[in-house]
Amino acid sequence: GEAVRFSAIGGTSIALVNNEDEAFDESVMDEYGGSMKKTEPGESKSRIRLLTVFESDLATHGFVSATSIYRGDMAKARFSGNFLPASSQQPVDDYDLDDLLVFGSARKDTARPEEICAPANEIAYIFAVTTREGALFMYDIPSFEVIFSSGRAFLGPRLLFDEGESSRSTVEAPPESDARGEKISGLKLIAIGASSGHPSVTLLALTLQNGDMILYKAFLAPDDKNGGHQGLINKGNVKGRSRIRFFKIKSIWASSGDTEQLLAPKVVPFENIGQRAGLLITGDEPQAVFSGHGHPRFHPFGRANTAAGESDTIASFAHFHNIKCIHGFISVFASGTIMIGVLPPPSVVSYETPWPTRKVNVGQHVNRICYNAPTKTIGALVSQRVPISRKEKKELWEKPKDDEEGGGGGPGGGNEDEGSSPFFNEDELDGDRMPPVFNEKHEVRLYRPDTWEIVKQVSLKPLEAGIAVKSMAVDVYKMSSAPQQTQGRNDEGAPSLFASSVKLRPKNMLVVGTGYLKGEDCNTRGRLLMFEISKQEGYTEGGAFKAYQMQLIAEKELKGAVSAVASLQGYVVAGVGPKVEVYKLVEDEIVCCSFSFAHLFCVSIATMKHYVLAADMFKSVSFMYWRDRNKSLNFLARDYEPLAVYASEFLVHGEDVSIIASDDNGNLSLFNLVEPSTPDSRGGSRLMVYGGLHLGSRINSLLRVGIPLPPSAPPAPQHALFFATVDGGFGAVIPVDAASFRRLGPAAPRLVGAATGARYTGVNPREYRSFRAQTEGHQMFGKRLIDGQLLEEFEGLDGAKRREMARQMQVSPEEFSRQLKHLHRVLMRF
């Protein structure tokens, strides 16, 4: 019952001590066991008292490699009944194990037991030990009775369960070929979040000798006295033993290189950093783990702006509390840099999601949003419901005139005044008898990046809605003083002043496309608005200040709703109904330079240098080329199959460029432009489909972001596509080279039947990710899209299965893990 403060191991002896007033000499032991060091006269003595020294029976299994002390509310949970031996239980497969982990029971006729993670009321202690052979033992404190034992911890299995007395007599030693990489060199069993007021989470971290780390989440096995499904999580008689079991949640792979020079990762727990509890995993890719709501979340931890070639490897980390740094932290990097900082409070940034999330209440519905990089401001199109005015309400409920009959024609006959309503009086317009009627009011807003205050808001016209917004640099032209006279016939017109304009300089613009919602009986029109965004910095007596401005420079009324806008070499390309039009800014006038038809209705436009990609609502995507010499938009290729596209974007990987498009069936399609000699390419004018995946969610936004490259990589552009879905999902499409694709591709079909983890709703990835075509004759000429979530299940395999699968793919497990680590690094951008 006393708090343990210090532990030491030597050979097969384990000592537990805590702070007391009695003096006790420090013990110095080597890994093979040593003798107690005698304190010389005059030397200071440690103010610690020996709690327990015991000789365990670990000598039959080898020397101790790591220890850890656990203090938490799960230590008192014990089995109360005698269970059937393993030989008399039914066969067990991984699918029954999934049922157990999800529902708490693997049998349909068994009632649901208590919650699997229900905390106990008593706090107790557990002493965890790992041996050189890879076995894991847990002892109760202070009785030091073995309450948990597993001889397969070194393999990193998906589930660590109690093997009973069998693991104490027969411990499998790792093969000599894997002796270097599978030895356990570090152990940490800790409950995080116990003092934060939220449900605590117990984590088990095993550090291997090659630098890899495996993390398990603890849960309580059901205390089923009838035997039932105990064979899934136990072997033999477990009466009186611990109910704690461990489920693998993450594997952290070490960087490639010399194993002896790797900085071994360490687990540093903390109780209050930015009002959060969790732990930090040091190493070459440090990660912070938070558990505010009972589920661990992993987030990358490092400096915001790292110089080229500088490492983010954290060598040490500690909680730091000071009057200038309230509940902050101090971290020491391997390069010698010391960083002292704080985390934003939970009211500002939430770490309880897969990616850090910050919620800002703007009070209105946000339809579109964009980021202005030069000023670091946020532009948004917002809307809100407002009640209509009394005049509009009167016009709405007023009886229409009857020009043909010339009379009222209402229930009261034709005695009413023309245009008045016989159903209500004007005094009733302001009463409760009339139902409330609302209209949507749309605005263009600019927010400051630091305080999220509104810099300026511009209200759109009545019945006008903001549809598209984009931040870009727009070239400004100036008209020539006088056009040159043309030679030829006298009736030939002179060139336009806009055609003879001179380019001045680019301006930082926020381009907005709108459309009027006047009903189906009116022609659809819209406007193209250009706002200049500027930032001023200066110093006053009060210190430095920043001022932001947004000013309307030009606007143009168009014969259609502006559904999409994009930047094109200083021009503005916009989707106006069924057309794709290119505009330039001449002083304060917006002039159309060229146009091209996009079939029915353009919903998305993406540009890259001189190339334009337009997506149609029903007719798939079109690929065009902009020629600045004669101001023309030229057709290159298109997809001739019907496809209801939501969004489209370019996917760049070095010199290879592909096209990604999403449709209304929740699919992702990969298009490529091939040589004219390729069969079925229609002379090179057809975009051929070389891959497709079903996501189950409609993607309405695609963002192309550059991938940071290591210093040794060639300077080739590599971009990833981050996407957002209409139901709140977020993900990415990451390009890889041909060699990496050959390594990752064969793993997907093998992982389908591996049953490495509980899948969402129990779906089969092979069938669920199959492309849902709109037509029966849809052609797909390749399979160049791989399910990344399925590849992540490789981490859930134990060491033996990973090696076997890597051998079948003719690749080493380290090389495959390196490819997965690259994908994780791209996803951890934020």
Side-chain angles (χ1 to χ4, degrees):
E2 300 185 45
V4 179
R5 305 296 182 185
F6 173 76
S7 65
I9 60 174
T12 60
S13 299
I14 302 176
L16 307 178
V17 298
N18 77 329
N19 294 338
E20 282 292 341
D21 294 335
E22 301 179 8
F24 182 76
D25 296 341
E26 287 186 348
S27 60
V28 179
M29 308 178 188
D30 56 18
E31 62 177 354
Y32 297 103
S35 58
M36 305 291 286
K37 176 184 177 183
K38 300 299 182 180
T39 305
E40 300 296 334
E43 291 186 3
S44 61
K45 299 181 179 180
S46 300
R47 310 295 293 180
I48 56 179
R49 182 173 63 89
L50 180 66
L51 283 182
T52 306
V53 176
F54 71 98
E55 290 286 341
S56 70
D57 56 353
L58 295 177
T60 59
H61 309 306
F63 292 97
V64 174
S65 61
T67 61
S68 179
I69 300 176
Y70 166 77
R71 177 185 182 274
D73 52 10
M74 300 179 70
K76 281 290 185 180
R78 299 286 187 272
F79 286 110
S80 59
N82 290 320
F83 304 111
L84 300 175
S87 59
S88 62
Q89 293 171 355
Q90 298 179 355
V92 176
D93 55 15
D94 291 333
Y95 299 101
D96 292 335
L97 181 58
D98 294 339
D99 294 340
L100 173 64
L101 297 177
V102 175
F103 305 109
S105 175
R107 298 176 58 188
K108 296 182 180 180
D109 56 347
T110 304
R112 183 187 178 99
E114 60 179 320
E115 291 296 330
I116 206 165
C117 292
N121 296 325
E122 301 183 42
I123 300 297
Y125 297 86
I126 291 178
F127 189 66
V129 178
T130 57
T131 65
R132 291 186 181 180
E133 284 72 18
L136 172 65
F137 297 91
M138 294 185 184
Y139 296 86
D140 180 40
I141 295 179
S143 63
F144 287 97
E145 178 186 0
V146 177
I147 58 176
F148 182 92
S149 58
S150 176
R152 303 174 66 250
F154 69 94
L155 292 174
R158 176 188 166 201
L159 180 69
L160 278 179
F161 54 86
D162 188 10
E163 298 180 3
E165 296 295 332
S166 59
S167 61
R168 299 172 57 83
S169 58
T170 57
V171 176
E172 300 178 6
E176 295 186 3
S177 59
D178 300 327
R180 181 181 181 184
E182 297 292 349
K183 285 185 178 180
I184 299 177
S185 60
L187 168 66
K188 195 71 174 182
L189 180 62
I190 185 172
I192 59 177
S195 61
S196 61
H198 296 285
S200 62
V201 177
T202 300
L203 296 180
L204 172 65
L206 300 177
T207 304
L208 305 182
Q209 192 174 7
N210 61 355
D212 297 343
M213 178 176 287
I214 305 174
L215 283 94
Y216 291 87
K217 180 183 176 182
F219 66 94
L220 293 180
D223 190 4
D224 189 359
K225 299 181 180 181
N226 298 323
H229 50 272
Q230 293 297 332
L232 300 174
I233 49 178
N234 302 314
K235 286 185 178 180
N237 188 4
V238 292
K239 179 182 178 181
R241 296 172 71 94
S242 176
R243 292 167 52 195
I244 297 181
R245 302 296 180 263
F246 301 95
F247 182 75
K248 183 191 291 188
I249 57 175
K250 192 175 184 61
S251 298
I252 301 176
W253 311 108
S255 297
S256 58
D258 190 1
T259 306
E260 298 180 357
Q261 297 180 359
L262 289 177
L263 186 62
K266 297 182 296 183
V267 177
V268 182
F270 55 85
E271 290 295 333
N272 188 3
I273 293 183
Q275 305 177 21
R276 298 179 181 88
L279 53 91
L280 184 105
I281 303 174
T282 65
D284 59 336
E285 290 190 1
Q287 298 188 40
V289 185
F290 302 98
S291 63
H293 296 285
H295 184 75
R297 296 292 187 182
F298 296 82
H299 300 285
F301 191 89
R303 290 167 287 186
N305 299 317
T306 305
E310 191 174 1
S311 175
D312 266 344
T313 303
I314 292 183
S316 183
F317 178 87
H319 174 250
F320 181 70
H321 182 58
N322 188 273
I323 191 174
K324 300 293 184 181
C325 183
I326 305 298
H327 290 295
F329 59 88
I330 178 171
S331 58
V332 180
F333 293 88
S335 59
T337 305
I338 298 178
M339 180 178 68
I340 300 176
V342 295
L343 293 177
S347 59
V348 178
V349 177
S350 172
Y351 293 102
E352 304 307 323
T353 53
W355 288 349
T357 306
R358 180 179 182 182
K359 294 183 179 180
V360 180
N361 185 13
V362 298
Q364 296 188 11
H365 179 71
V366 180
N367 301 313
R368 293 289 186 271
I369 193 170
C370 70
Y371 175 71
N372 187 266
T375 60
K376 298 182 180 180
T377 54
I378 305 295
L381 299 179
V382 299
S383 63
Q384 65 175 343
R385 297 178 63 197
V386 295
I388 63 175
S389 63
R390 192 175 187 275
K391 180 180 179 181
E392 293 174 339
K393 187 182 295 185
K394 182 179 179 180
E395 294 176 354
L396 179 65
W397 293 100
E398 187 177 48
K399 180 182 177 181
K401 298 179 182 180
D402 193 351
D403 297 335
E404 297 181 359
E405 299 294 335
N415 298 328
E416 291 84 8
D417 295 337
E418 187 176 72
S420 62
S421 175
F423 302 106
F424 66 92
N425 300 323
E426 291 189 5
D427 297 337
E428 297 177 349
L429 290 175
D430 301 326
D432 297 335
R433 183 172 179 267
M434 304 301 299
V437 182
F438 297 90
N439 275 339
E440 282 195 0
K441 180 183 178 182
H442 292 254
E443 294 180 351
V444 181
R445 289 186 177 183
L446 185 70
Y447 292 94
R448 291 176 60 99
D450 47 0
T451 61
W452 282 90
E453 297 178 355
I454 300 177
V455 175
K456 189 175 182 179
Q457 55 184 4
V458 178
S459 299
L460 300 180
K461 294 181 179 180
L463 301 179
E464 186 181 17
I467 303 177
V469 61
K470 195 78 171 182
S471 175
M472 63 185 73
V474 180
D475 293 336
V476 180
Y477 292 82
K478 180 181 179 181
M479 292 186 297
S480 301
S481 57
Q484 299 178 359
Q485 297 294 332
T486 59
Q487 298 179 0
R489 298 173 55 183
N490 296 331
D491 57 351
E492 290 183 354
S496 171
L497 294 177
F498 299 121
S500 58
S501 57
V502 180
K503 182 178 177 180
L504 295 179
R505 61 181 179 86
K507 283 188 177 182
N508 181 28
M509 292 285 190
L510 190 70
V511 181
V512 178
T514 68
Y516 291 96
L517 307 176
K518 295 183 178 180
E520 297 181 356
D521 56 341
C522 299
N523 294 331
T524 304
R525 303 184 69 88
R527 287 196 302 167
L528 185 64
L529 309 175
M530 293 187 182
F531 298 90
E532 183 181 5
I533 311 297
S534 60
K535 180 179 70 172
Q536 296 179 357
E537 297 181 353
Y539 294 89
T540 60
E541 296 180 357
F545 73 94
K546 294 180 180 179
Y548 301 90
Q549 293 182 353
M550 184 177 72
Q551 182 181 2
L552 179 61
I553 298 298
E555 62 175 314
K556 186 177 181 63
E557 191 91 10
L558 301 177
K559 296 181 179 180
V562 183
S563 56
V565 292
S567 176
L568 180 64
Q569 298 292 308
Y571 299 90
V572 177
V573 55
V576 184
K579 295 190 298 182
V580 178
E581 300 180 351
V582 181
Y583 296 91
K584 73 175 181 179
L585 181 61
V586 182
E587 294 183 356
D588 58 349
E589 296 288 338
I590 301 177
V591 183
C592 181
C593 301
S594 180
F595 70 91
S596 177
F597 283 95
H599 301 286
L600 298 179
F601 189 81
C602 182
V603 296
S604 173
I605 293 179
T607 59
M608 185 187 64
K609 294 185 177 181
H610 292 85
Y611 297 99
V612 179
L613 178 64
D616 191 82
M617 180 180 288
F618 297 104
K619 296 296 183 180
S620 194
V621 293
S622 300
F623 189 39
M624 293 170 284
Y625 176 80
W626 168 253
R627 183 177 286 110
D628 193 17
R629 177 172 52 86
N630 58 355
K631 302 295 186 294
S632 62
L633 199 59
N634 305 280
F635 170 81
L636 287 180
R638 63 178 292 261
D639 178 30
Y640 292 92
E641 298 292 336
L643 188 66
V645 181
Y646 271 43
S648 60
E649 186 54 272
F650 292 100
L651 183 64
V652 182
H653 182 73
E655 298 180 353
D656 300 329
V657 179
S658 302
I659 295 173
I660 294 291
S662 64
D663 57 31
D664 61 345
N665 287 337
N667 299 320
L668 268 181
S669 301
L670 176 68
F671 297 92
N672 283 105
L673 183 65
V674 298
E675 296 291 337
S677 59
T678 304
D680 298 327
S681 66
R682 299 192 181 185
S685 64
R686 180 184 180 183
L687 292 174
M688 304 183 68
V689 183
Y690 277 93
L693 278 180
H694 178 69
L695 300 181
S697 300
R698 297 177 176 90
I699 297 175
N700 63 340
S701 179
L702 288 166
L703 178 64
R704 182 156 47 94
V705 180
I707 299 177
L709 300 177
S712 58
Q718 294 186 15
H719 297 168
L721 290 184
F722 288 88
F723 61 80
T725 64
V726 295
D727 53 3
F730 204 59
V733 180
I734 305 173
V736 296
D737 53 18
S740 301
F741 185 84
R742 286 192 296 268
R743 301 187 189 101
L744 299 176
R750 290 182 172 88
L751 288 170
V752 170
T756 57
R759 297 180 175 123
Y760 298 119
T761 66
V763 297
N764 187 301
R766 179 178 300 168
E767 177 64 24
Y768 179 69
R769 295 302 183 188
S770 299
F771 188 85
R772 268 68 164 173
Q774 291 186 348
T775 59
E776 296 182 357
H778 183 270
Q779 291 181 314
M780 188 174 297
F781 300 93
K783 295 183 179 180
R784 299 181 181 178
L785 285 179
I786 308 176
D787 184 11
Q789 288 184 342
L790 183 60
L791 294 179
E792 289 182 353
E793 295 186 3
F794 184 80
E795 298 180 357
L797 299 175
D798 57 24
K801 290 184 178 179
R802 283 202 304 266
R803 291 189 298 271
E804 177 63 22
M805 183 172 294
R807 184 189 63 81
Q808 295 175 1
M809 296 183 297
Q810 299 181 356
V811 64
S812 63
E814 293 76 13
E815 182 64 25
F816 193 90
S817 301
R818 191 179 304 115
Q819 299 295 334
L820 294 179
K821 189 175 181 180
H822 169 69
L823 303 181
H824 283 289
R825 188 182 297 111
V826 177
L827 289 175
M828 292 299 179
R829 176 183 179 87
F830 304 105

